Amino acid sequence: MAGQSRSAARPEPSLARQALTVPNLLSILRLALVPVFLWLLLGPEEDGWALAVLMFAGFSDWLDGKLARWLDQMSRLGRLLDPAADRLYIAATLIAFLFRDIVPWWLVVALLTRELCVGVCLLVLRWRGFGPPEVTYVGKAATFNLMYAFPLLLLTQGGSTMAEVARPVAYAFSLWGAVLYFWSGVLYVVQTVRAVSGASRNSVR
């Protein structure tokens, strides 16, 4: 408890200082690779390199959280960068896969609509003076499943033995990820409604 008190009492460093921590540098690198990933998929269609970038994104997503806790470098900037990178990779992958006919259009529209709803919730919360909702385990599980599904979906392209083996696993991860992603979106909306309605009741009093 004393360690927590000392940590809470420390002044928060500037955003520039926060950006120079190891976990945040990983998140920034992950963000910088989003356009590279899109170009690899839609330009030369270098699926092998795109797969490597996507695997790095998934691994670094796990690693930066671990490093932030191990090195005691958790920060406000990190709490913004990490989910932003996840959402950008998911949106970029869905759009690229739509152009490549890897996933159906209705799935892309549905998942991007979910992202739009979450974005509106974040804007409403900020307008009412709240921070972003707490990241739920459902949301983490959804991101985990989708980050595994996307590389596997790339492997399903073609008629090789590897594609045949990867196909059912890729579809399973995609289904689980999509369901959990929708459910985490519903939880974001519920948290937003509760926060706004609670603030409204308090203001009436």
Side-chain angles (χ1 to χ4, degrees):
M1 294 296 289
Q4 290 179 349
S5 302
R6 284 196 299 271
S7 176
R10 279 194 313 228
E12 190 172 52
S14 66
L15 289 179
R17 290 284 298 276
Q18 292 179 41
L20 293 176
T21 62
V22 175
N24 286 344
L25 285 173
L26 272 176
S27 294
I28 291 169
L29 177 59
R30 195 158 76 250
L31 280 167
L33 286 173
V34 171
V36 177
F37 172 70
L38 268 176
W39 176 77
L40 288 169
L41 277 179
L42 298 178
E45 295 191 3
E46 291 284 353
D47 290 353
W49 284 108
L51 181 62
V53 172
L54 198 55
M55 291 175 67
F56 169 78
F59 175 71
S60 63
D61 180 41
W62 169 83
L63 183 61
D64 63 16
K66 290 289 185 183
L67 289 174
R69 288 186 287 273
W70 289 341
L71 302 175
D72 192 22
Q73 292 182 340
M74 300 180 72
S75 64
R76 181 164 56 94
L77 181 62
R79 288 191 290 271
L80 293 173
L81 286 177
D82 192 48
D86 291 341
R87 290 194 175 100
L88 270 178
Y89 268 100
I90 288 171
T93 305
L94 287 171
I95 291 169
F97 280 10
L98 177 63
F99 278 100
R100 293 275 304 273
D101 291 323
I102 296 175
V103 294
W105 67 268
W106 55 265
L107 179 62
V108 176
V109 170
L111 290 178
L112 291 182
T113 300
R114 181 267 188 198
E115 281 300 290
L116 181 62
C117 290
V118 171
V120 170
C121 288
L122 293 174
L123 288 175
V124 169
L125 288 171
R126 185 170 183 177
W127 177 59
R128 297 299 295 266
F130 293 100
E134 291 292 324
V135 177
T136 62
Y137 284 108
V138 175
K140 290 180 179 178
T143 301
F144 172 84
N145 277 280
L146 290 176
M147 284 299 188
Y148 269 85
F150 292 155
L152 289 168
L153 285 170
L154 270 180
L155 289 175
T156 64
Q157 302 308 294
S160 66
T161 303
M162 181 178 290
E164 292 298 322
V165 172
R167 193 163 287 122
V169 183
Y171 291 161
F173 272 110
S174 299
L175 177 61
W176 298 333
V179 170
L180 291 172
Y181 208 57
F182 277 119
W183 183 239
S184 67
V186 171
L187 293 179
Y188 269 115
V189 173
V190 170
Q191 289 181 65
T192 301
V193 170
R194 285 178 177 172
V196 171
S197 60
S200 300
R201 285 196 299 269
N202 290 336
S203 64
V204 169
R205 293 174 189 172

